């Protein structure tokens, strides 16, 4: 079996154990005689998977019954629209931090629905960064406030969560369950699954039930959080197989232990940043205090060298290191499932490449 080191930003690497377990059960799930892809979403086998996935997420995030855990299709991108459609009414304002491509994408959708205040704007800053604590201006009585906790493309990450004075909503698509965090600071959290939680096809939403209850009732049924809460995310056919893979991934997280995963994530990122900092050849693109532990972004002296770096890394079994097409450069995405051995291989390659080309 030839598995590569997959540095892709999303869809991203999945734990090998999870893939193999799914493979073993693919055509006959636990003696049911059918695949999870083929069974009723109202049957007892699927029901157990669905509810275990919810229970595991609840446990891993440390959220009690004040929160509903939902599975909704349409990715994080639909959440950009659903959030203001539910909560940004006439005469209200929502605060948004605009610190990167994903924050800007969320702002764009919210503006189609209602009034948006940009609490801080550092989207165009180089090096890329998150706003400092004193820099963010919150609207008293805002309908909600929104941040992207980790900007997947620029490689900048909030290291502490600001107090905003209004219900806080976090797009955690690329750093959910990757570090110690008090999730109860948030009124709502959403994440497309395909980075840290499983495959694409589903977004996880954790939302305070009292907040959801205040959502608009004059929007289509499928777009209301309340609908998904009342039906335990089974109003219509959910993406059963994606939720099954997410369930296995949450089991894998529990088995490994979150403290160990957090520490490994820190160590993995530090290893790459250490090489960058010790070198005059590589240049990190994010400001030091906001460097992401999930997406490590850096540049080489020329674009030609970047192309060569990506080509030679690929030949050595390190794939998808090319930065996002909007920014170029190199991006190493090292989510929970990315093995430490792959990071070791990358830093060895980086040192060697610098020696040969520096
Ligand atoms: C990937 C990503 C998105 C978009 O997710 P989709 O599920 O493709 O819609 C949004 N926000 C962040 C922070 C992301 O990393």
């Amino acid at each position: 079996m030839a598995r590569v080191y997959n540095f892709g930003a999303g869809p991203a690497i999945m734990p090998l154990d999870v893939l193999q377990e799914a493979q073993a059960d693919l055509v006959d799930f636990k003696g049911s005689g059918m695949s999870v892809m083929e069974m009723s979403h109202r049957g007892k086998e699927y029901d157990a998977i669905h509810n275990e996935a919810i229970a595991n997420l609840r446990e891993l995030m440390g959220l009690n019954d004040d929160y509903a855990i939902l599975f909704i299709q349409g990715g994080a991108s639909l959440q950009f629209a659903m959030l203001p459609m539910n909560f940004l009414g006439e005469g209200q304002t929502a605060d948004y931090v605009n610190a990167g491509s994903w924050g800007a994408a969320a702002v764009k959708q919210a503006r189609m629905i209602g009034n948006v205040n940009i609490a801080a704007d550092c989207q165009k800053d180089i090096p890329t960064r998150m706003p400092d604590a004193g820099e963010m201006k919150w609207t008293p009585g805002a309908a909600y406030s929104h941040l992207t906790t980790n900007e997947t493309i620029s490689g900048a990450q909030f290291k502490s969560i600001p107090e905003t004075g209004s219900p806080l909503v976090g797009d955690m698509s690329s750093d959910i369950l990757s570090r110690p965090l008090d999730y109860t600071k948030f009124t709502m959290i959403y994440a497309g699954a395909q980075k840290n939680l499983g495959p694409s096809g589903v977004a996880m939403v954790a939302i305070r039930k009292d907040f959801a209850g205040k959502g608009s009732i004059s929007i289509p049924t499928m777009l209301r959080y309340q609908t998904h809460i009342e039906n335990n995310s089974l109003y219509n056919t959910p993406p059963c197989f994606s939720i099954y893979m997410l369930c296995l991934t949450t089991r894998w997280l529990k088995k490994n232990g979150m403290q160990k995963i957090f520490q490994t994530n820190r160590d993995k990122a530090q290893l790459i940043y250490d090489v960058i900092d010790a070198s005059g050849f590589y240049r990190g693109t994010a400001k030091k205090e906001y460097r992401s532990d999930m997406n490590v972004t850096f540049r080489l002296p020329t674009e030609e060298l970047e192309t060569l770096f990506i080509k030679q890394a690929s030949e050595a079994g390190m794939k998808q290191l090319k930065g996002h097409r909007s920014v170029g450069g190199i991006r190493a995405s090292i989510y929970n499932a990315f093995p430490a051995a792959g990071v070791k291989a990358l830093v060895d390659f980086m040192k060697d490449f610098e020696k040969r080309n520096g």
Side-chain angles (χ1 to χ4, degrees), residues 74-78 80 102 148 150-152 171 173-174 192 194-195:
S77 296
L78 183 63
F80 295 161
W102 290 118
T148 312
N150 183 65
E151 282 287 354
T152 321
D171 175 1
S173 294
S174 51
Q194 67 275 18
K195 283 138 191 173

Side-chain angles (χ1 to χ4, degrees), residues 9-11 73-80 101-103 105-106 146-153 171-175 190-195 200-203 295 331 335:
Q73 299 191 54
S77 296
L78 183 63
Q79 294 309 306
F80 295 161
S101 308
W102 290 118
H146 179 278
L147 6 135
T148 312
T149 52
N150 183 65
E151 282 287 354
T152 321
I153 292 173
D171 175 1
M172 291 193 199
S173 294
S174 51
D175 69 347
Y190 63 93
Q194 67 275 18
K195 283 138 191 173
S200 64
V202 63
N295 311 96
R331 172 174 56 175
Y335 300 119

Side-chain angles (χ1 to χ4, degrees), residues 86-353:
N86 277 264
F87 303 115
L88 185 49
E90 195 81 21
Q92 293 181 304
T93 296
D95 287 335
Y96 278 72
V97 171
N98 187 21
S101 308
W102 290 118
V107 167
K108 186 176 173 198
Q109 297 304 305
R111 282 200 166 126
M112 292 185 195
I113 307 296
N115 189 45
V116 169
N117 170 56
I118 302 297
D121 195 340
C122 54
Q123 198 213 333
K124 300 250 148 63
D125 286 18
I126 296 172
T128 59
R129 66 182 184 100
M130 290 302 186
D132 298 321
E135 193 179 341
M136 293 172 274
K137 300 282 177 280
W138 308 109
T139 307
Y144 62 85
S145 41
H146 179 278
L147 6 135
T148 312
T149 52
N150 183 65
E151 282 287 354
T152 321
I153 292 173
S154 72
Q157 184 176 36
F158 271 102
K159 296 300 167 178
S160 64
I161 302 303
E163 298 292 340
T164 67
S166 70
L168 178 59
V169 179
D171 175 1
M172 291 193 199
S173 294
S174 51
D175 69 347
I176 191 155
L177 298 179
S178 69
R179 56 172 166 166
L181 196 65
D182 179 3
Y183 287 86
T184 65
K185 284 192 164 183
F186 292 84
T187 295
M188 176 175 143
I189 296 147
Y190 63 93
Q194 67 275 18
K195 283 138 191 173
N196 257 325
L197 295 176
S200 64
V202 63
M204 189 283 313
V205 176
I207 185 169
R208 281 193 65 97
K209 292 173 189 166
D210 51 359
F211 183 64
K214 290 186 228 145
S216 170
I217 52 170
S218 56
I219 53 175
T221 311
M222 270 295 284
L223 298 176
R224 296 186 62 209
Y225 292 105
Q226 198 59 28
T227 301
H228 297 285
I229 293 175
E230 284 166 8
N231 294 280
N232 192 27
S233 302
L234 289 159
Y235 174 75
N236 73 327
T237 319
C240 300
F241 198 76
S242 294
I243 293 168
Y244 163 66
M245 295 301 286
L246 178 148
C247 179
L248 296 184
T249 305
T250 56
R251 243 187 239 170
W252 177 85
L253 290 169
K254 282 177 49 170
K255 195 179 84 195
N256 279 272
M258 293 311 291
Q259 291 313 318
K260 185 172 148 230
I261 288 188
F262 296 157
Q263 190 57 49
T264 307
N265 284 342
R266 283 261 60 221
D267 294 347
K268 287 185 313 193
Q270 197 56 50
L271 217 51
I272 307 176
Y273 288 124
D274 283 347
V275 173
I276 292 171
D277 289 342
S279 141
F281 184 73
Y282 299 108
R283 183 169 45 83
T285 51
K287 207 172 162 187
K288 269 191 189 172
E289 55 267 48
Y290 296 110
R291 283 169 163 176
S292 171
D293 286 346
M294 293 284 101
N295 311 96
V296 178
T297 52
F298 58 94
R299 309 279 330 212
L300 274 66
T302 66
E303 285 185 24
E304 290 68 35
L305 281 169
E306 288 170 351
T307 305
L308 187 68
F309 181 97
I310 291 160
K311 179 172 174 282
Q312 292 185 352
S314 175
E315 285 161 5
M318 288 169 272
K319 305 288 183 184
Q320 308 210 68
L321 279 161
K322 197 169 162 44
H324 190 269
R325 61 187 186 279
S326 63
V327 294
I330 312 292
R331 172 174 56 175
S333 297
I334 46 173
Y335 300 119
N336 288 342
F338 192 92
V343 170
K344 180 76 176 52
L346 176 64
V347 299
D348 288 346
F349 173 79
M350 286 172 73
K351 289 178 195 162
D352 182 59
F353 189 88

